[in-house]
Amino acid sequence: MCGLTGIISLNGRSINKEQLIKMNQALSHRGPDSDGFWYNDDCTVGFGHRRLSIIDLSDDGRQPFIYQNRYVIVFNGEIYNYIELRKELEKRGVVFKTKTDTEVLAALYHQYGKKMFDRLDGMFSFVIYDLTIGHIFGARDRFGEKPLYYTIIKDCLYFASEIKSFWAAGLEKAVDQTRLYYYLKYSICEFPEHNSTTFFKGVKQILPSHYFELHNNELKSFRYWELSKVKVNTSINFTDAVVQLKEIFNESLSRRLRSDVPVGSSLSGGVDSSIVVKSIQKIKSGQQKQKTFSARFKNFAKDEGKYIELILTNASDIESYYAWPDAEDFKNEIEKVLFHQDEPIGSASIIAQWNVMKLARKNNVTVLMDGQGADEIFAGYLSFVGPYLNELYKNDLKEYHKQRDSFEKLLGYTHDLSLRAKLLLKHPYLFSMAKPITSVFKKTTDTELNVMGFTKEFIKEIASERFVREKRDNDSLHKALENTIWNDGLPTLLRYADRNSMAHSIEVRLPYLSHLLAEFSFSLPPSYKMNNGYTKYILRKSFEGLVPDEILWRKDKIGYEAPQSDWLKLSQKKIKEAEIKLLDLNVIDNPSAFDQWNLLIASHYL
């Protein structure tokens, strides 16, 4: 786990080395163990790297890494199956000089080129320069666990693991006003229809599951993995599916436990992190104590302490630690959190996660396992019930009524379809000639914007940009899952986790975000994931007997929910300062039209 930076000249002139040094220094938190630089002979290409030592702690792991005197690579992340890949490559005659996964990654590229991704299990962003042909190639992992940003300014391509590197280099910083509008008005942190963009003009990101190449001074990216191509296996029975799920998950977890430094676990008290902790306990039985780190809240109804304690009961091989974030922590830490996040955040729950990472580092744990991803892969959110029932209504009315009644009885979820919705599901062709329905994202004139609270000048500035949000299909569970994975949920959560962890030089690993596990889940019938009123049905069934039923079959879902409203009451001075700033910048004219949280966060980045 590291930080990478680079500058590539697009006009043949030498790059500014001082800029690269400053970019790299801005990422010191991502790699406190060492730094390194590499420049080609005419200084038109420069790579920088900050190292957090996880695999092979020797100097062999330092980067930029030069392979066979031909490839220069900077790499951030972990290749979890590097041991298996190393053996495969050795059979092809490859001789390795180090024990690093970096060398395995470079060798894999040399052997397979663009087809390398079929073999990779990991989280990664990397950039490779081929000295022989002067070619730039890079990529980002399937789900986007590891970041990679770029911008092109004055005939130079700059890339880095975090946006703040660009500001350190002295590049112009300008907020994208349209992004600001949607954050203030609708709390939207990411931009689904333009998800390669960021909160800042001209700064873009390489998308998950994409590789890129630099051709004729133009960066072009291509997709290498898609869940939509996975076909549902209607012949697999539920019992066999449970067995296979456990096998794939345990392999994913075992690979992610590979480390030359201490590994701990984040424990929230929910289903997903509890499965991870209890599974590690089983895998490491008698080997060493597992350290767990949890966020607790005093005098808060949604504190999950009772569930955390259930996991720890009679667990002498688990050493537990607690963070107790409160309003004072919020006031003291929020500026640091926002600095590290680089872009707006959605809620105060991120402060809880921040404190968990801080606690792990304080107790000498460098790698932290986490349950993120299970809800997106196995349908854990209540919002997935609607698409699931819509799909049933379209395909199986008898099962639809059965499942609708079970979700209403267990979760209080009501599913009332209008006549139009029923016709649309059963006879979509009737509407093929109708005008498409678009959401609040459609923007063509001033009158179509929700202008309340904004100044006329600000609205006039953004109304010139015309775009329409794609209509999201809501008629199947798998389409809803894909939307959450790629657009409306997971990308934001992964950003939170990466920045919060790396701010404390911690590596977070996510065993549920194994591409093999995701492909398996998408190959299962939707009813295996949603059934009898329960979300994540097959995941719960797969770990019966390992995780206490009180946790495994919980109906409520909390996560790291913090007492945000209480904390904001004690931060009115900061909120007032934020309001004044936005008024002075002529963005808003009526602070009461906006959520106080959004005003507070947005003002930080202006």
Side-chain angles (χ1 to χ4, degrees), residues 355-373:
N355 277 273
V356 168
M357 303 301 173
K358 186 177 180 180
L359 184 66
R361 169 49 69 183
K362 182 180 178 182
N363 287 279
N364 302 313
V365 167
T366 309
V367 176
L368 205 61
M369 309 297 284
D370 191 89
Q372 183 64 59

Side-chain angles (χ1 to χ4, degrees), residues 84-353:
E84 291 81 3
L85 289 172
R86 183 187 179 101
K87 291 177 181 177
E88 175 191 327
L89 291 166
E90 285 176 335
K91 289 179 181 179
R92 294 174 65 94
V94 176
V95 177
F96 289 92
K97 297 180 179 180
T98 75
K99 296 179 180 179
T100 66
D101 57 345
T102 306
E103 186 178 13
V104 170
L105 185 62
L108 198 69
Y109 176 68
H110 179 65
Q111 291 288 321
Y112 299 107
K114 301 169 189 176
K115 296 182 179 179
M116 66 187 293
F117 303 104
D118 294 340
R119 291 170 166 79
L120 281 176
D121 177 12
M123 56 177 181
F124 52 83
S125 64
F126 65 83
V127 181
I128 295 174
Y129 180 58
D130 186 336
L131 288 160
T132 304
I133 59 176
H135 182 59
I136 294 288
F137 179 87
R140 197 169 170 208
D141 64 71
R142 291 176 178 85
F143 295 100
E145 294 178 64
K146 294 296 100 191
L148 185 56
Y149 296 94
Y150 69 95
T151 187
I152 297 176
I153 296 179
K154 294 182 179 179
D155 293 320
C156 278
L157 169 67
Y158 298 80
F159 66 82
S161 294
E162 295 182 16
I163 296 173
K164 62 178 63 64
S165 278
F166 303 142
W167 316 145
L171 303 186
E172 182 182 358
K173 179 180 181 181
V175 167
D176 184 312
Q177 300 290 65
T178 304
R179 291 287 296 266
L180 175 60
Y181 166 83
Y182 281 109
Y183 179 72
L184 285 173
K185 183 55 67 174
Y186 301 109
S187 304
I188 294 170
C189 295
E190 309 295 336
F191 227 29
E193 276 53 59
H194 301 266
N195 51 10
S196 65
T197 66
T198 69
F199 200 66
F200 300 96
K201 288 182 180 179
V203 178
K204 296 185 177 182
Q205 59 179 321
I206 300 299
L207 293 176
S209 299
H210 281 67
Y211 70 85
F212 69 89
E213 296 175 298
L214 192 62
H215 282 299
N216 298 322
N217 292 341
E218 185 179 353
L219 189 148
K220 294 183 178 181
S221 64
F222 309 87
R223 187 156 200 155
Y224 63 81
W225 185 71
E226 293 184 66
L227 277 169
S228 59
K229 293 183 178 180
V230 177
K231 294 183 178 180
V232 174
N233 179 5
T234 56
S235 63
I236 188 171
N237 65 58
F238 190 80
T239 302
D240 289 342
V242 164
V243 172
Q244 289 186 42
L245 190 156
K246 285 193 288 188
E247 288 176 351
I248 298 171
F249 176 79
N250 285 330
E251 180 181 49
S252 173
L253 184 60
S254 296
R255 284 179 174 180
R256 283 155 179 77
L257 286 171
R258 291 171 173 170
S259 171
D260 293 329
V261 296
V263 178
S265 301
S266 172
L267 178 59
S268 70
V271 175
D272 310 327
S273 66
S274 296
I275 289 173
V276 171
V277 169
K278 295 299 286 186
S279 296
I280 291 175
Q281 190 181 16
K282 188 175 181 180
I283 290 171
K284 286 193 167 186
S285 179
Q287 295 181 28
Q288 64 184 74
K289 279 196 172 185
Q290 179 184 182
K291 292 183 178 182
T292 64
F293 302 90
S294 309
R296 300 282 307 278
F297 304 98
K298 294 178 181 178
N299 304 316
F300 184 47
K302 293 185 178 180
D303 173 71
E304 297 202 85
K306 66 177 182 179
Y307 296 110
I308 295 170
E309 292 301 326
L310 274 174
I311 294 296
L312 302 176
T313 300
N314 299 321
S316 58
D317 54 349
I318 296 180
E319 194 174 308
S320 59
Y321 297 85
Y322 296 102
W324 295 88
D326 55 21
E328 197 63 29
D329 283 313
F330 174 73
K331 287 197 295 183
N332 293 336
E333 302 282 357
I334 186 63
E335 293 296 324
K336 298 176 188 176
V337 172
L338 294 178
F339 168 78
H340 281 283
Q341 284 295 318
D342 279 336
E343 297 185 87
I345 61 177
S347 75
S349 63
I350 197 170
I351 304 295
Q353 187 186 59

